[in-house]
Amino acid sequence: MPNWDLTFFYSSEKDEKIKKDLEEFINGCKNLREDYYDALADKNLSPEKLRKFFEDSEEVEKKGYYAAQYAHLNYARNTMNQEAQKLMSMVEDYETNASIITSFWKPRLLKLSESKLIDLRDSDELKEYKHVMEKLIESKEHVLSEEAEKVMSALSSSSREAFAELYERQTSSYEFEIIIDGQVKTLTGPQVRALRHDTDSDLRKRAMKKFFKRYEKDKIILEKSYNSIVKHYDTESRLRNFEKPISMRNLDNEVEDDIIDTVIKVTTERTPLVYKYYKFKEKYLGEKLTLADIYAPLNPVKKEYSFDQAKEIVLDAYYEFDKEIGDIVKSFFDENRIDSEIRKGKRGGAFCSYAFPNYKPFVLLNYNGNMGDVMTLAHELGHGVHGTLSSEQNIWNYHTPLTMAEVASVFGEMLVMDKVLPTLNEEDKKAFIASKTEEMFATMFRQNMFARFEVQSHDMIAEKGVATWEELSELYNKELKIMFGDSVEIPEEYNYEWVGIPHIFSVPFYVYAYNFANLLVIALYEMYKEEGKDFIPKYKKLLKSGGNKRPEELLEEVGINIKEESFWGKGFDYLEREFLNKLI
């Protein structure tokens, strides 16, 4: 199993260069404030001067991003490592201080008249920063006073972010003793989750019951953490004059409220597809299904893939699509930028980290050896492709909003799916299609369920002042029933599943981005199937664009109109046509 080589950044947590870089970062922030505080609010501000501010900010931020990315990666590989914890804490303090110092720039610029801001936006000298100015103008009514922005920055690491870190540290430390094949085994959270794919029905049920019951033991801490995160987030959204809490995330994601409302509405209306599939699966397996069985394999023969096999499958799929993209994916393996080993204390789940445009993203996953993990590898490397190709952008335009962040990752899964299917016999092909259907359900319907729960839980906490563990679990149960109907039984412990969704703690209202992106990718992938190699330059241009335009504009360039409600329904038509109808 590969592990990261983080000496790419620093020699160790104790490398003196980390502190040096952070000090240079802070000093650079102070210099920015000294050099530009008055200039940014000057009605005679020139485009050249503003461009110089953006460029100087990029150079300053690189030092901070470099140290911060290392600290986050180092902590993720072992959240129980005290040296890693100390470094994370130190970096967060520096980040908070830097944020306080540089919080002046938006309030100062927004003192200018709208006509002046528009003139700056449209100047040739600022063409590379046009979208930065567009977002600034759009955010005008939501930016607080300079002093208020300072306070928000100062409190961030000791409030919402602190509770999110507490959640992550607490849940990453969980261990589970489970009897498997007559032996007691001690497993991590990701290993227990992987048992949902096991062929043993009894083991699946025992494992998931133990998994959720462990969270229940910490319900006081977890309930308090979630309530505090929600109240902090919602308070900020009100102070910033947003109509509703999700609107603050939507602005960050550069998408209108009504578009997200439409995606959630259309997805909820198509949940009968879920009922239809699980009724088929129940009949096929010949047993009444519970939620512990939704990922049970159709094929009773448990098929495992070594990491080397997964690597070969994924590399072949990406190379077959495009050599440049294949080379990018290969570099992750060659340069030890993948950490796939399962170990105690390691952060659960999977992610791809690319803090700034240096062409070197890093991937974390917990590899168990099933086909779902092969797909996760493809997914995270898709993020890596995106982060690499968009490195030609400046820092300000490097990161996409969440609505576009999952496009390359899900597209990568589709490439691997098409690569794997022809290699399978009919029985294995059916099992694979079923598995992929379940993954699509997880990305679309389950994430939509999470989004609905999140919206309602924020409303509940706003109305009641606090929502208890029992109230949140009851709300989640209602959403489970909407998604699954009577197609599966819902064991009591699954009412606590909401607390095992890390994104609702770390990044409120993140989850809808998965469904949004999945539906986008289906449209893009159908274009690829129709146009063949002619599609690839358009796709690569989309990824290389990073966040230099609104998603709506970037997608219009490839022929997609996300404002049409009918567009969002097409993805579900595809799912029914290409997956369900081939099974049922």
Side-chain angles (χ1 to χ4, degrees), residues 192 219 458 546 566 576:
V192 176
K219 69 180 184 180
H458 278 244
S566 59
E576 185 168 22

Side-chain angles (χ1 to χ4, degrees), residues 150-164:
K150 274 188 183 179
V151 172
M152 296 300 291
S153 296
L155 292 176
S156 60
S157 63
S158 60
S159 50
R160 187 166 82 228
E161 291 175 12
F163 278 107

Side-chain angles (χ1 to χ4, degrees), residues 40-95:
L40 293 186
D42 186 343
K43 64 181 181 180
N44 296 315
L45 175 66
S46 68
E48 293 81 7
K49 185 72 172 179
L50 183 53
R51 180 185 179 91
K52 188 72 167 57
F53 165 73
F54 287 138
E55 290 173 343
D56 288 351
S57 296
E58 289 179 57
E59 290 307 309
V60 169
E61 287 172 356
K62 283 179 183 177
K63 291 284 186 183
Y65 281 147
Y66 204 74
Q69 187 179 14
Y70 172 76
H72 282 84
L73 293 173
N74 189 51
Y75 174 71
R77 65 179 175 178
N78 186 359
T79 63
M80 300 173 70
N81 179 342
Q82 291 188 351
E83 291 300 322
Q85 292 172 9
K86 289 177 185 176
L87 179 60
M88 266 288 289
S89 181
M90 182 180 79
V91 167
E92 286 171 352
D93 287 344
Y94 273 93
E95 287 181 314

